[in-house]
Amino acid sequence: MGGQNYSMTLYNTSVTSMLRTRWGRQRCMWPARTVTRRHGQRDTAQILLLRGAKYLPDKNGVTPLDLCVQGGYGETCEVLIQYHPRLFQTIIQMTQNEDLRENMLRQVLEHLSQQSENQYLKILTSLAEVATTNGHKLLSISSNYDAQMKSLLRIVRIFCHVFRIGPSSPSNGIDMGYNGNKTPRSQVFKPLELLWHSLDEWLVLIATELMKNKKDSTDITSILLKQKGQDQDGTSIPAFEPPGPGSYENLSTGTGESKPDALGGKQEASADCQDVISMTANRLSAVIQAFYMCCSCQMPPGMTSPRFIEFVCKHDEVLKCFVNRNPKIIFDHFHFLLECPELMSRFMHIIKAQPFKDRCEWFYEHLHSGQPDSDMVHRPVNENDILLVHRDSIFRSSCEVVSKANCAKLKQGIAVRFHGEEGMGQGVVREWFDILSNEIVNPDYALFTQSADGTTFQPNSNSYVNPDHLNYFRFAGQILGLALNHRQLVNIYFTRSFYKHILGIPVNYQDVASIDPEYAKNLQWILDNDISDLGLELTFSVETDVFGAMEEVPLKPGGGSILVTQNNKAEYVQLVTELRMTRAIQPQINAFLQGFHMFIPPSLIQLFDEYELELLLSGMPEIDVSDWIKNTEYTSGYEREDPVIQWFWEVVEDITPEERVLLLQFVTGSSRVPHGGFANIMGGSGLQNFTIAAVPYTPNLLPTSSTCINMLKLPEYPSKEILKDRLLVALHCGSYGYTMA
């Protein structure tokens, strides 16, 4: 062979193209069997290296390590590193290469980290150092935001994955990296502390500027732009120095390793060169996301790091400022809101103000993010996962098979086959959901009762007549959760109060109208009138049906001896409402939610209100505007020919179908038009047409509604433009701003 170099090729049947490696000294070929391909490739590499094979790239510059990482061959990478230790850092640097599949890199580093505790700590420390460097580059406004953001988050995701699968993953609720324990594991986070310190000081600096109540952060901006100009003039970029209080001169726009993207940075600065928040919000938010990921990977599932909660509370005003200026940050970087109720409550009003479409996308993105095949939610299932149901007993047989099915597999895909039939596919799945929608409210099961308007359903407080009612309620929750998970619409509409129960929103006395309009009018009367001298002799107890017998039930401890007065009547009305709408059906609600939450986490569903949840579950009903106009009445001074009324109907024609549904819900409490059209809409005491009443106009006054009598109280707006603006504000932001006639 005499010192000549030869090409050595290693074949592997598990990858699309053959793995080619230039080694040297001799020509050999080993076809690897599929079942032993990884061990075979490792053994082949071991033999070649023992024989003195050289590590050389091919003519395209592709190295053996490149090919092994691309295929996720951790064992072969381990062999290469044993003979060429410098390749360890090469693998670490590969985490910044967006052309390499992230899951393959994880696979390789996961294998390497399992070889020894020292190797595990070395990998984590090296990843932390690379992440810190990338984070500082991201905080440089002269760097390319998109590239640096993706690089940082990619490295941190890999870091957190390796950390979690380590020899002793945290399982005892201790925040191991940040609770003061100086263990070897906690030390792998030490390099990142420099980045978190820089992040903290940036946010403190911005908070200081906000406190000055200036429109433009001119001091910081001028420094940033001045330094940016120096960078683009060709001068060297100093190493990153985090901003210190009172030391703006230390601010830098780059690192010694970065190459500024002059065009990208220039465009970002020129977009709003007088506003430092616009220039830094996305960058800082991405680093905040990385910080959250690192804090979370040290905590058991379901727990939020105390350090991160403290961080958000400390910088609450700045983060809200970021979100208010660019709400998209919520969906791009503030994923922690969905996983921490304490933090979600601080931003909920901002989140719910975002477009319904954006929230839907965020909902499904996070709903499917943890699934193995998140890019193929409706992937095919194997024969053992098919739900085999009987058409003649579809409710009971479906309940049985769903209760026995693997929940995780049902989240990934559903396949249904009717007994004795061969048909399968999405068409059969849709038919299954459609039939079950009708069966769930089948009176034979006594689970739900019709509301007063005859178009919606409410849990039946007497469902206990069916011995299996709680199991069936749980099954009903599973079906609706599955339908929402797989974007399948159900042919069923519930009362507004039941949607509130699903969302965890408290009910109010207006919701009583759906089951007892007359009782709701009585509660309204109590609130609207002075009851001091009426001699009603009401107490905080009411007579209600308890398992078929009428009993006196206290609304609060000792309620039978507490009189209802003008001062406490609001509390009385609320407690009566809770008894009728919640306490009377609490076991049914709990069973339903138990099934629903198997597929839909509570943190995700709270992104929506009760009207939006109805749209998600049951779709967009069609509304005939001409029929609506034909069956509308006018009062308090309005007539059909009045300009305001003309403008109103023109606006109704112009707005989107979704907004028409919101308008119908806003005034009537339901998104559904009953069979027969608007002429058959029910009110508190029978048939009640949609009605528009005049209200004197004052600036910024919003329309209000009285749902018991289907009345829209429409101010006498001076122009069509103002009318449309105020109406849309009421529809999108005023879901809870009703009044009662």
Side-chain angles (χ1 to χ4, degrees), residues 358-616:
D358 291 349
R359 283 179 284 130
C360 285
E361 292 176 356
W362 200 31
F363 171 81
Y364 280 109
E365 174 190 344
H366 288 274
L367 183 64
H368 299 144
S369 62
Q371 296 181 2
D373 299 311
S374 58
D375 57 336
M376 292 180 62
V377 177
H378 299 291
R379 65 175 179 82
V381 293
N382 63 45
E383 188 71 22
N384 294 329
D385 297 328
I386 296 173
L387 302 179
L388 184 62
V389 298
H390 294 265
R391 190 179 286 275
D392 57 354
S393 59
I394 187 170
F395 187 82
R396 290 185 175 88
S397 63
S398 295
C399 180
E400 183 178 349
V401 297
V402 168
S403 65
K404 294 178 180 178
N406 183 291
C407 183
K409 289 184 177 180
L410 287 178
K411 289 179 181 179
Q412 295 174 33
I414 302 176
V416 177
R417 180 188 295 150
F418 289 104
H419 187 75
E421 302 178 21
E422 295 184 359
M424 280 186 58
Q426 286 302 301
V428 177
V429 171
R430 283 193 295 270
E431 181 187 8
W432 182 64
F433 276 116
D434 190 57
I435 296 174
L436 282 178
S437 300
N438 295 321
E439 286 296 296
I440 284 172
V441 295
N442 186 331
D444 293 343
Y445 300 113
L447 301 180
F448 291 88
T449 58
Q450 276 191 324
S451 62
D453 65 9
T455 65
T456 56
F457 291 86
Q458 170 82 0
N460 182 5
S461 59
N462 295 318
S463 64
Y464 56 82
V465 298
N466 184 335
D468 292 324
H469 70 126
L470 293 183
N471 286 333
Y472 287 159
F473 268 109
R474 179 175 176 270
F475 170 62
Q478 289 176 303
I479 292 303
L480 264 70
L482 270 174
L484 187 55
N485 183 87
H486 293 290
R487 305 189 190 221
Q488 296 283 347
L489 298 179
V490 295
N491 186 28
I492 181 173
Y493 293 83
F494 297 108
T495 58
R496 183 173 61 182
S497 61
F498 189 59
Y499 289 121
K500 286 184 175 181
H501 289 313
I502 295 175
L503 296 169
I505 298 174
V507 296
N508 58 49
Y509 72 96
Q510 297 165 339
D511 298 320
V512 177
S514 64
I515 61 171
D516 193 338
E518 199 62 36
Y519 197 80
K521 289 176 67 176
N522 293 337
L523 295 178
Q524 176 192 332
W525 188 92
I526 291 174
L527 291 175
D528 291 346
N529 296 276
D530 190 334
I531 64 171
S532 300
D533 302 318
L534 296 180
L536 296 178
E537 297 184 356
L538 292 173
T539 65
F540 276 77
S541 64
V542 295
E543 193 176 56
T544 189
D545 187 329
V546 178
F547 294 105
M550 299 305 293
E551 292 185 11
E552 195 77 12
V553 177
L555 299 175
K556 56 193 289 189
S561 59
I562 302 174
L563 288 175
V564 178
T565 66
Q566 181 67 16
N567 292 331
N568 64 18
K569 67 179 183 180
E571 180 188 9
Y572 170 80
V573 168
Q574 181 60 30
L575 291 176
V576 167
T577 297
E578 291 175 1
L579 175 65
R580 294 288 300 271
M581 307 302 295
T582 304
R583 286 170 57 186
I585 55 172
Q586 193 67 65
Q588 292 90 331
I589 293 171
N590 292 343
F592 180 92
L593 292 179
Q594 182 184 8
F596 187 78
H597 290 157
M598 291 175 67
F599 301 99
I600 307 295
S603 60
L604 278 178
I605 201 63
Q606 66 178 316
L607 294 174
F608 309 104
D609 62 27
E610 63 270 29
Y611 305 116
E612 294 164 338
L613 177 58
E614 182 181 60
L615 295 179
L616 281 172

